[in-house]
Amino acid sequence: MSERRPSWRARVGAMVLALFAGACDRSQQPPPQPPAAVTPPSSVPVADSRIRVAVTVDDLPSHGDLPPGATRLQLHERMLSVFAEHGVQAYGFINGARAADGADQTASLAAWAAAGQPLGNHTFSHPRMAEIGLQAYLGEIDRNADVLRPLVPDERVWRVFRYPYLFEGTDAATTKAVREHLAAERYRIAEVTIDFFDWAYNGPFARCSALHDDAAIAALRDHYVRHAVAMLRWSDATARGIWGRPVSHILLLHVGGFGAEMIDPLLDAYERENVEWITLDDAMADPIYADVPVADGITQGTLLDLMIDVRKAPHPPVHVQPERLLASICAAPGADTRPKP
Ligand SMILES: [Zn+2]
């Protein structure tokens, strides 16, 4: 986790301050409401409470620990059938290196293609840019294109890029250099506006399943949905505050044991929140994605994180992401259970 969220300390600091001020906003409490001062432009109906959301799924074909007895293909088939039931386009982002891991992985990618769901580029091996350097990182993008090309007939579909760890650059120069490379290779960039750290639940779910700890699994289920809804509400309130109108959101999910288990209740919960599912193409047409901030130092996070961290946009109190809490669930004493994105 050390590479994600350079502003994490600042956010916790803000949260602690808010706690002392009596204004701490936790996921168990009612989420923040949109600031009263926001007045949508006249072209937008004031009562437009719909939340337009495109779904993206990272780390195909493999992410995280498998529950005992499960195959990757079973997880993918579960997710794909639920997406179909809900009429959801889910844009999958693949790491070609993992596709070569075995027949289970190959079949999983084939299942996405057979379901008619689009696939995009998430680099060949999900590297950390800060560790491998700019040139090797650009090579990772190009190498993954060789995996996508035979899988996806329409070039415009697979030339959509999602940054691993939402990490865009170690400094302004590398951030811009990657963007220039992507533009030269005719990629569109799939930013994120809703991220609830879904991936961090896969480890505890696998551990609790191995222990047959049904009470802990029930608690995980409850927490997952409530945190996902809290982050949806926070993201929408923050976006409406920043841009003064409803925006087209992009939700980040991952393929994983718990994600497959929870996809149906998650989509149900979002629909109860008045979410309208849109395609990623529709979402990316929103002008908010044409002006993504570049930090002087590390550029990393959702578009909302960048607006807050780089452009100092006002926002409701932040929610603490749960990876540390989750690391402690069904964990043997002394075991390294830190979730890995
Ligand atoms: Zn990823």
Side-chain angles (χ1 to χ4, degrees), residues 86-271:
H86 286 259
V88 169
Q89 184 210 62
Y91 224 104
F93 289 91
I94 79 162
N95 303 115
R98 292 173 183 170
D101 284 348
D104 194 17
Q105 283 76 7
T106 309
S108 298
L109 286 185
W112 279 72
Q117 296 287 17
L119 297 170
N121 192 334
H122 195 40
T123 71
F124 184 70
S125 67
H126 211 282
R128 293 184 182 278
M129 193 194 304
E131 291 174 2
I132 68 168
L134 175 63
Q135 288 310 316
Y137 190 85
L138 300 182
E140 280 270 336
I141 296 170
D142 298 343
R143 190 173 177 192
N144 209 38
D146 295 336
V147 179
L148 281 156
R149 202 173 278 113
L151 262 178
V152 185
D154 185 346
E155 186 173 317
R156 190 173 154 78
V157 171
W158 63 259
R159 287 194 189 272
V160 177
F161 184 72
R162 163 66 48 74
Y163 291 95
Y165 312 104
L166 305 184
F167 189 99
E168 303 197 17
T170 50
D171 55 26
T174 52
T175 300
K176 289 175 183 168
V178 174
R179 286 190 194 173
E180 284 165 10
H181 182 79
L182 290 168
E185 293 294 320
R186 304 186 304 285
Y187 281 93
R188 293 175 293 156
I189 298 172
E191 293 286 338
V192 171
T193 59
I194 308 168
D195 177 13
F196 65 96
F197 282 36
D198 66 310
W199 52 269
Y201 292 80
N202 289 319
F205 177 60
R207 295 194 300 273
C208 297
S209 297
L211 295 170
H212 304 288
D213 189 338
D214 293 339
I217 293 171
L220 276 180
R221 289 173 176 279
D222 181 63
H223 193 280
Y224 185 93
V225 172
R226 284 202 289 156
H227 183 58
V229 167
M231 287 306 295
L232 169 72
R233 292 178 181 175
W234 180 86
S235 298
D236 195 50
T238 300
R240 287 178 194 246
I242 291 173
W243 288 286
R245 62 173 175 86
V247 306
S248 296
H249 287 281
I250 301 176
L251 168 67
L252 169 60
L253 298 175
H254 296 76
V255 162
F258 200 58
E261 184 87 3
M262 295 302 293
I263 190 65
D264 196 30
L266 173 70
L267 298 184
D268 283 343
Y270 270 35
E271 286 162 8

